[in-house]
């Protein structure tokens, strides 16, 4: 597979992003939704911030204050507290409760050429309700009949859910609440209705029975979802044996819907693959990648907040040219060009 | 709290139920939906069956054959296989996959007096699709505008989901597929729309963040659900500190919706409590039980397939008289009468 990574990579790093408040630092800018809007490419960045601290024995955890709209409280946990497991840099796991070490919001970046981006100084979508108390993450943007549907991960002590916001102008956003109940990640809406219904991919994370697999669902209005079906699952032994989940919003090709998704090994190496879904019955998987189409290889993919991760939330399609925007090592934004025809030719039924 | 257990208890035991095939035995009959239909009380029983076996070293696991409608294949696992954990009588947990030791279907029982039941010889709802490969369980029945909505747990290797079936006559049933994605239990639809929408309780089981708590959701058509909100959670230290979940279909009282739900301790003692929800905004919890209204005490509640369990999927309301039908020790069906007024008077804001 010919992968033309942008020579400008990484396109956006934490240093390029102004924190939302002075006592915070931006630790990661990654997993961006991507869409063409007017004469620009928009990326809706996930910006993860954490409170600055000088004390290595203190782990500050930022949590939305639900009494005071938009304020974030900072709780300080001691690294020496045996109640907590600090081994994962992203999450602190206690006996009764888990905390995140950063809180994410969504921020717009704009570009004429798709490579040089100007980043807004203000957030576009900020956590502001109980289901978002730990932040908003990993947006996917779909245009359908002039409305832009943004599905994003909403994280809270009560669970990880998928929420919906809409906009028509990328200036004002309307939040519509939770569309997929806990625990759910990696949801996105198709850019066309199929058989009169909105279609979405999502990735439930079961507790007792089942694995982190991809599911499909249908809706009359994009707000209420049903007809949930298992779509595709982890594969034994390879690059996608740990978990899989939807990546970019699927797009239509001559052979059906093409979905760029992620797979991870049990030791958390994240790569990207492709999956072809039936045009009229997208719950039917026609073919998928035997090997990844993009794997962590470059330093900005291998080293970072979470090593060995390439993870996409959005692509831009221009004829045969597919630009994949992706997070590298959960730290930066990068881009790569691939050929749609070449991806299709490498799929395996 | 005055609890009048029926002197006839247990009302239905596995010996009363004819197995669906000769080489199966009924091990449990429990967790029944309850509804008044014409001049009868109907219970929709969960009937759990397992293959008969003479060999104590073999654990047979029954799984629906998806190629041949309605057939159940039997796989034999060896108790000596170190790949599997056999410590729970209900579930065999392997490194990559979990199996159930029984497979459940739903069966009608009919009664004029609510105490003496005649049990159908044929199943009402039988597993017949991929999401039901491990069985159908724990039905809740709601009547709304002449249609009976049956929400039930559908279990499969891909996950535990909540599915919907409808009937108008309890002779033919239409299945509508999965309404709540994995992992989800204890869902039920309210017997009236609120603000023009169907309302349901459900109980997601998160993997990484959150606990097994009760959530509420809304729908325009009972098939597609959204607006998911956290409703009520486990309480530290007491009878409902391990998990909680909806029980019977809620019913309207002068003070709001009354929901009889279950709570369990971390060591799996299941009791019943009550929760009062706002009539016009049922996502608002007005009050709930400080102590259980029904706890496992009798031998048929304490001893059985799973000890120390009282678990309800349905009640019948007749003025102030509330009849709770419940599973005892995951093995038998029992009944108890309580006063609605007395339950309400014991609730704590």
């Amino acid at each position: 597979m010919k992968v033309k990574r942008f020579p400008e990579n990484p396109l956006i790093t934490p240093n390029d992003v102004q924190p939302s408040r002075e006592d915070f630092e931006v630790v990661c800018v990654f997993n961006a939704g991507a869409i063409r809007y007017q004469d620009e490419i928009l990326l809706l960045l996930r910006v993860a911030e954490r409170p600055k601290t000088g004390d290595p024995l203190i782990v500050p955890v930022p949590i939305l204050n639900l009494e005071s709209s938009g304020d974030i409280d900072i709780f300080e946990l001691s690294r020496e507290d045996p109640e907590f497991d600090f081994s994962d840099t992203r999450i602190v796991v206690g006996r009764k409760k888990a905390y995140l070490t950063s809180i994410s919001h969504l921020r717009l970046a704009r570009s004429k050429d798709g490579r040089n981006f100007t980043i807004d100084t203000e957030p576009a979508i900020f956590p502001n309700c109980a289901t978002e108390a730990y932040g908003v993450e990993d947006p996917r943007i779909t245009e359908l009949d002039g409305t832009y549907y943004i599905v994003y991960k909403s994280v809270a002590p009560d669970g990880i859910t998928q929420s919906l916001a809409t906009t028509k102008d990328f200036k004002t956003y309307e939040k519509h609440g939770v569309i997929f109940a806990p625990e759910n990640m990696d949801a996105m809406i198709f850019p066309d209705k199929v058989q009169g219904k909105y279609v979405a991919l999502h990735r439930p994370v079961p507790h007792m029975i089942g694995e982190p697999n991809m599911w499909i669902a249908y809706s009359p209005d994009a707000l209420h979802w049903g007809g949930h079906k298992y779509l595709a699952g982890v594969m034994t032994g390879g690059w996608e044996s740990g978990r899989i989940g939807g990546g970019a919003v699927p797009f239509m090709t001559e052979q059906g819907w093409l979905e760029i998704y992620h797979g991870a090994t049990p030791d958390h190496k994240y790569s990207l693959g492709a999956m072809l879904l039936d045009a009229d019955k997208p719950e039917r998987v026609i073919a998928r990648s035997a090997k990844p189409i993009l794997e962590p290889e470059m330093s900005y993919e291998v080293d970072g907040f979470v090593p060995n991760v390439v993870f996409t939330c959005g692509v831009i399609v221009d004829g045969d040219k597919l630009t994949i925007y992706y997070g590298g090592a959960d730290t930066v934004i990068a881009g790569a060009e691939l050929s749609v025809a070449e991806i299709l030719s490498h799929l395996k039924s």
Side-chain angles (χ1 to χ4, degrees), chain A residues 219-238:
Chain A
S219 172
D221 56 10
L223 301 173
H224 304 88
W225 294 86
H228 300 274
K229 289 199 173 77
Y230 167 91
L231 180 74
V234 299
M235 293 287 202
T236 308

Side-chain angles (χ1 to χ4, degrees), chain A residues 8 15 19 42 54 78 102 112 157 165-166 175 193 199 210 224 236-237 248-249 275 294-295 299 302 313 348:
Chain A
E8 296 89 346
N15 283 337
L42 300 185
S78 163
S102 65
K112 299 279 185 201
T166 52
K175 287 188 179 179
K193 292 187 189 175
V199 185
H224 304 88
T236 308
V249 170
M275 191 179 287
L294 185 67
E295 286 184 278
S299 62
V302 170
C313 291
K348 211 176 133 186

Side-chain angles (χ1 to χ4, degrees), chain A residues 46-339:
Chain A
R46 171 177 169 189
V47 176
E49 301 177 294
R50 71 177 168 205
K52 290 179 195 168
T53 175
D55 187 342
L57 286 182
I58 292 294
V59 177
V61 293
I63 305 176
L64 187 71
N65 181 326
L66 295 174
E67 308 303 317
S68 157
S69 176
D71 277 5
I72 292 168
D73 293 334
I74 297 157
F75 296 88
E76 299 195 332
L77 307 178
S78 163
R79 261 191 211 286
E80 290 169 335
D81 189 337
E83 164 83 10
F84 298 107
D85 175 357
F86 294 98
S87 61
D88 189 321
T89 53
R90 294 165 298 180
I91 185 167
V92 180
V93 179
R95 239 169 301 172
K96 289 299 286 179
K97 202 170 172 180
Y99 300 92
L100 299 191
T101 57
S102 65
I103 187 164
S104 292
H105 67 265
L106 309 181
R107 187 96 62 105
L108 272 182
R110 305 155 193 274
S111 173
K112 299 279 185 201
D113 64 2
R115 298 182 181 216
N116 296 284
F117 284 87
T118 307
I119 300 159
D120 281 8
T121 52
E122 297 294 319
I125 296 181
F126 205 79
N128 73 343
C129 56
T131 49
E132 301 175 356
Y134 283 179
V136 294
E137 308 179 349
D138 300 357
R140 275 86 172 187
I141 313 171
T142 302
E143 194 265 316
L144 218 161
D145 297 332
T147 296
Y148 296 85
Y149 295 84
I150 301 165
V151 181
Y152 58 96
K153 183 161 58 154
S154 29
V155 189
D158 304 325
I160 302 172
T161 51
Q162 292 289 320
S163 292
L164 176 69
T166 52
T167 184
K168 288 185 181 288
D169 56 11
F170 290 96
K171 287 177 192 149
T172 59
Y173 301 85
E174 188 182 354
K175 287 188 179 179
H176 301 279
V178 173
I179 56 171
F180 297 116
E183 183 164 319
N184 207 299
M185 303 188 177
D186 304 320
M188 66 219 60
I189 297 176
F190 284 52
D192 254 318
K193 292 187 189 175
V194 178
Q195 320 272 17
K197 284 204 174 152
Y198 293 86
V199 185
L201 302 179
H202 62 102
R203 211 286 299 276
V205 192
H207 178 78
M208 205 158 42
I209 296 184
E211 295 190 83
N213 295 328
M214 289 168 67
W215 285 59
I216 194 167
Y218 300 89
S219 172
D221 56 10
L223 301 173
H224 304 88
W225 294 86
H228 300 274
K229 289 199 173 77
Y230 167 91
L231 180 74
V234 299
M235 293 287 202
T236 308
W239 63 279
E240 48 178 347
S241 59
R243 78 207 64 163
I244 67 169
V249 170
F251 57 95
M252 185 57 84
T253 69
E254 280 178 12
Q255 298 181 31
W257 295 104
L258 193 61
E259 162 62 10
I260 309 299
Y261 69 101
H262 67 262
T265 58
D267 60 349
H268 315 301
K269 178 184 175 186
Y270 280 78
S271 304
L272 300 181
M275 191 179 287
L276 186 66
L277 308 177
D278 188 276
D280 299 318
K281 198 173 177 169
E283 64 198 56
R284 194 171 79 80
V285 179
I286 299 171
R288 59 196 268 196
S289 299
K291 291 184 198 167
I293 60 170
L294 185 67
E295 286 184 278
E297 287 169 8
M298 307 299 282
S299 62
Y300 54 84
E301 299 161 352
V302 170
D303 300 322
F305 195 64
V306 182
N308 295 310
V309 176
V310 294
F311 188 102
T312 187
C313 291
V315 296
I316 299 288
V317 188
D318 184 8
D320 184 57
K321 188 176 84 180
L322 177 73
T323 302
I324 301 181
Y325 291 100
Y326 62 96
D330 271 16
T331 307
V332 298
I333 300 274
E337 270 177 32
L338 290 88
S339 149

